[in-house]
Amino acid sequence: MSAPLLSLRDLTIGFGPNEAARRIGFDIAPGETLALVGESGSGKSVTALSVLNLLPPSATVSGRIAFDGTELVGANAATLRTIRGNKVGMIFQEPMSSLNPVHTIGRQIGEVLTLHQGLRANAARARTLDLLDAVGIPDPAGRIDDFPHQLSGGQRQRAMIAMALANDPKLLIADEPTTALDVTVQAQILDLLKTLQRQNGMAMLFITHDLSIVRRIADRVCVMTGGEIVETGPVETIFTAPQHTYTRHLLAAAPSGAPLIPDPDASRIIETTDLKVWFPIKRGLLRRTVGHIRAVDGVDLSIRKGETLGVVGESGSGKSSLGYALLRLIPSTGRIVLLGNDVQSRSWSALRPLRKHMQIVFQDPFGSLSPRMSVGEIVEEGLSVHMPRLSRTERTEKVAAALREVGLDPATAARYPHEFSGGQRQRIAIARALVLEPDFLVLDEPTSALDVSIQAQVIDLLRAVQARRQLSYLFISHDLRVVRALAHRLIVMRDGQVVEQGLAADIFAAPQEAYTRQLLAAALDLGAPPNVSAGTLPKAPTSE
């Protein structure tokens, strides 16, 4: 057998008295893909970051990291510069945070080529165009001067891949590269990585918490929990005959179960007629309106008491805009009726009495919870606005009851959001919505960035709360596995319009529209082998 390209032995990473990773050891051969799998906090990302010495100064690292015969633990800056971005590329989890918002994607990719290949401006731009074309960004010449915020999530991730592969690295480290992407875009990114890997013969360290994509991408798997690798083996062996209890737990943690059967004669909580959300496109010195982005274009829907309406579609389909419009968080036209009240005709102040009846849980709980407020203050804030006659004791009791209902200890009310895990923060966001005893709840991708086991727990929690309170949900998601476990009815959106709607069970069993079939295939068949061809990645020039 050939010598391993990357070899870790007895790697231990600490932050003060706490060890984030202990005695980590594995090899990656040239051309091989190793998946590092585990839940948040298992030590996956710190292990990957340690390879390129990208950990903060407070981290202590012991053990060995050998890349292509070079020892990287304790290596000097000059040695690391020859490795980073040149022989080892890295794709980070969140491209919007990793890309510089004030530089175009062309400039950022060109910078990598200038630093490592010595290319001048024209040569760097020409190769950048080739790279953007190879990773599947349409009209590279028209997008090369775009800023990150002008690209979709999938396009930003493709730009990150182009940057990581610009210098033909021998090893690519991909840290959760498909988290929070649409299922169709996720499948395309995975296929792209495998295609480019075959073309260039590079090795890949793929980090994920989602076992459903491991079969598609990996040759071998290392399962991590609590900072340790508890099981290692070929993909098929891990999936068909897992040995460790934790591995079996991960495999069994996918969202399951079925939604509770609602009363078909229940009253309607909310309904819309011809709902539209059009954003103006303005051009020129006078900023004249030259067109509109039709985020939501004539949607009719109704949700009964105790019912969940699932809304699915790709990024840009109008899912979130629909949810925000229902709550009057963005301007819209058309009719919205909540509990028999015409929402659209009310002024902002006249709408306030209805606010307590309609609440929202956002996709990113860390971004939607104030870091300056304790959990108790966050949950109590709505009571102070909508139930001002409650005494201090009554508010405290309601906060404690809401925290208990979502599975949190009321004793944690004095703690702050950063002291909780991602799943716990999402429970806090749900408690903040439930404390007002709403009738209608918009759930905007509430599980997209959570581990699979935490996803299952949140879905079970939402089903239990719905059964107790007869709540009505608008559940927005791109993950059809999660939607299938919660939604009674389903609408499929594309380009602001509903392309298919009906009972969720019927649509999952026999989708009528080609777009719906495409979504279902991407969501439920991620274990299938890659079948999408990417462009040929041009070789990095050896000289200017």
Side-chain angles (χ1 to χ4, degrees), residues 34-251:
L34 176 72
L36 200 55
V37 177
E39 296 176 288
S40 296
S42 62
K44 309 184 304 296
S45 292
V46 294
T47 298
L49 291 171
S50 68
V51 173
L52 294 177
N53 196 12
L54 296 177
L55 295 171
S58 58
T60 58
V61 180
S62 63
R64 295 192 60 209
I65 303 175
F67 173 76
D68 205 16
T70 301
E71 177 58 49
L72 299 183
V73 174
N76 58 37
T79 299
L80 291 171
R81 276 196 296 269
T82 65
I83 302 292
R84 293 173 180 162
N86 192 18
K87 297 179 180 179
V88 180
M90 187 156 188
I91 305 171
F92 295 95
Q93 178 172 353
E94 177 44 66
M96 196 62 186
S97 300
S98 306
L99 294 171
N100 191 323
V102 300
H103 292 313
T104 65
I105 58 169
R107 178 172 178 178
Q108 293 183 65
I109 298 172
E111 183 180 26
V112 175
L113 297 167
T114 300
L115 289 174
H116 291 284
Q117 301 293 336
L119 299 186
R120 294 188 177 178
N122 289 339
R125 186 177 179 87
R127 173 149 168 78
T128 299
L129 287 170
D130 289 340
L131 288 164
L132 294 177
D133 180 61
V135 298
I137 290 183
D139 186 22
R143 307 310 298 268
I144 189 172
D145 294 318
D146 282 354
F147 292 89
H149 73 272
Q150 295 175 287
L151 303 179
S152 70
Q155 289 171 335
R156 286 194 291 266
Q157 198 62 285
R158 289 172 186 269
M160 284 286 296
I161 293 172
M163 189 184 305
L165 301 182
N167 296 303
D168 292 335
K170 293 183 177 181
L171 172 68
L172 177 66
I173 300 175
D175 186 8
E176 301 271 15
T178 59
T179 295
L181 293 181
D182 299 326
V183 287
T184 50
V185 176
Q186 183 183 86
Q188 292 166 15
I189 293 296
L190 294 175
D191 291 339
L192 171 65
L193 289 174
K194 290 301 289 184
T195 302
L196 297 178
Q197 182 184 30
R198 286 194 300 270
Q199 292 171 1
N200 296 276
M202 69 180 178
M204 184 156 40
L205 175 60
F206 193 92
I207 299 158
T208 182
H209 66 256
D210 189 350
L211 278 170
S212 67
I213 66 175
V214 170
R215 269 184 168 164
R216 190 183 191 95
I217 196 78
D219 301 306
R220 290 190 302 118
V221 182
C222 289
V223 181
M224 287 192 71
T225 184
E228 297 180 331
I229 293 177
V230 296
E231 188 166 358
T232 303
V235 168
E236 285 306 313
T237 302
I238 294 294
F239 274 84
T240 58
Q243 300 300 306
H244 198 275
T245 305
Y246 180 73
T247 308
R248 293 194 292 270
H249 160 73
L250 281 183
L251 289 169

Side-chain angles (χ1 to χ4, degrees), residues 304-426:
R304 294 183 181 274
K305 187 177 182 66
E307 182 183 47
T308 298
L309 176 65
V311 184
V312 301
E314 297 175 289
S315 292
S317 62
K319 306 186 303 295
S320 294
S321 295
L322 173 62
Y324 296 160
L326 290 177
L327 303 182
R328 281 277 304 272
L329 297 179
I330 57 175
S332 64
T333 61
R335 190 164 178 259
I336 304 174
V337 178
L338 175 73
L339 298 172
N341 298 281
D342 187 343
V343 171
Q344 291 283 44
S345 64
R346 295 200 172 206
S347 67
W348 194 253
S349 58
L351 184 62
R352 175 171 284 189
L354 290 179
R355 287 288 182 197
K356 70 182 294 292
H357 297 287
M358 51 181 183
Q359 291 292 302
I360 186 169
V361 177
F362 293 98
Q363 177 175 355
D364 178 13
F366 197 67
S368 64
L369 301 176
S370 172
R372 295 183 177 87
M373 298 173 68
S374 70
V375 167
E377 291 169 337
I378 289 170
V379 177
E380 185 183 354
E381 185 179 25
L383 294 174
S384 302
V385 174
H386 295 287
M387 301 181 184
R389 296 182 180 180
L390 292 178
S391 67
R392 175 66 182 173
T393 301
E394 289 172 325
R395 289 201 303 270
T396 301
E397 289 175 351
K398 279 187 169 292
V399 169
L403 292 175
R404 276 193 296 268
E405 186 170 22
V406 299
L408 294 175
D409 186 349
T412 62
R415 293 164 58 184
Y416 288 80
H418 73 273
E419 300 178 73
F420 294 84
S421 69
Q424 289 172 325
R425 285 196 289 265
Q426 198 60 285

